[in-house]
């Protein structure tokens, strides 16, 4: 089986790609932009993608915290990519909002931080297109804990309700 790819979508040419405005909250921005940049870097091998992630993280947290958090971000994104049974969609670099899959990644980390287990498992399953979410959850929990330690708490409102994530998963299966 060919491994799923990353699909960078532009919202103007793809009517199904809904974009949620870029959150003004730093923790959500870190997760969403970091997820986008790291996944794009893994898929293209373009170092600029990883530099963009570094610049976002170090600009908000400073170089020492950024270095540690990017290691955890990398583990989370690699787990998502390795376990994905479908194409993961990301917005193009510099996009002023987040697409559905980027929002699911944010929801997963927020759900870890707020112990919303039902939403966590539903969001992870919707993101990777499979119920085999163990590695993804391990990566997410490590990133969520590292963000908490750096005083970067995502808002409870960033957790996608389980029913919302399940609807997103069902739409992809149709």
């Amino acid at each position: 089986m060919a491994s799923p790819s990353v699909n960078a979508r532009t919202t103007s040419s793809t009517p199904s790609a809904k974009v949620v405005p870029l959150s003004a909250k730093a923790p959500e921005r870190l997760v969403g932009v970091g997820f986008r940049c790291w996944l794009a870097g893994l898929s293209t091998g373009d170092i600029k993608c990883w530099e963009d992630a570094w610049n976002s993280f170090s600009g908000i947290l400073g170089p020492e915290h950024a270095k540690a958090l990017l290691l955890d971000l990398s583990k989370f994104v690699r787990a998502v990519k390795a376990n994905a049974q479908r194409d993961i969609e990301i917005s193009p670099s510099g996009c002023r909002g987040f697409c559905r899959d980027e929002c699911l990644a944010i929801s997963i980390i927020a759900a870890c931080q707020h112990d919303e287990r039902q939403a966590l498992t539903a969001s992870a399953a919707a993101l990777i297109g499979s119920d085999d979410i163990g590695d993804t959850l391990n990566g997410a929990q490590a990133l969520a804990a590292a963000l908490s330690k750096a005083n970067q708490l995502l808002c409870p409102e960033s957790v996608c309700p389980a029913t919302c994530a399940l609807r997103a998963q069902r739409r992809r299966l149709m």
Side-chain angles (χ1 to χ4, degrees):
M1 177 174 127
S3 65
S5 63
V6 173
N7 185 6
R9 304 180 87 169
T10 57
T11 56
S12 60
S13 65
T14 310
S16 65
K18 290 190 175 185
V19 174
V20 175
L22 193 64
S23 174
K25 296 175 178 86
E28 282 80 3
R29 258 195 339 271
L30 286 174
V31 173
V33 171
F35 181 80
R36 173 188 300 164
C37 293
W38 214 264
L39 195 55
L42 288 175
S43 297
T44 65
D46 183 357
I47 195 168
K48 183 181 180 325
C49 299
W50 293 310
E51 288 173 345
D52 289 346
W54 169 258
N55 290 335
S56 293
F57 275 66
S58 64
I60 292 174
L61 303 168
E64 282 305 309
H65 285 297
K67 185 177 179 181
L69 279 168
L70 284 174
L71 288 173
D72 289 313
L73 173 71
S74 173
K75 291 174 189 173
F76 170 60
V77 175
R78 286 177 189 276
V80 168
K81 185 170 174 51
N83 293 291
Q85 299 297 308
R86 62 176 202 79
D87 290 350
I88 303 294
E89 298 172 359
I90 56 173
S91 297
S93 178
C95 183
R96 306 273 311 144
F98 296 122
C99 70
R100 181 182 309 148
D101 287 346
E102 293 163 340
C103 289
L104 284 170
I106 293 167
S107 176
I108 290 167
I109 303 305
C112 284
Q113 287 185 335
H114 296 286
D115 200 27
E116 294 284 342
R117 294 175 190 204
Q118 187 178 19
L120 171 62
T121 57
S123 292
L127 180 62
I128 67 170
S130 169
D131 289 331
D132 186 14
I133 58 175
D135 291 340
T136 300
L137 293 184
N138 290 337
Q141 289 166 338
L143 177 57
L147 284 163
S148 294
K149 188 175 178 182
N151 294 319
Q152 297 298 311
L153 297 174
L154 283 76
C155 294
E157 294 81 22
S158 294
V159 177
C160 178
T163 54
C164 173
L166 291 173
R167 281 194 309 269
Q169 184 177 23
R170 274 191 229 116
R171 276 195 298 269
R172 286 191 191 97
L173 296 174
M174 295 179 169

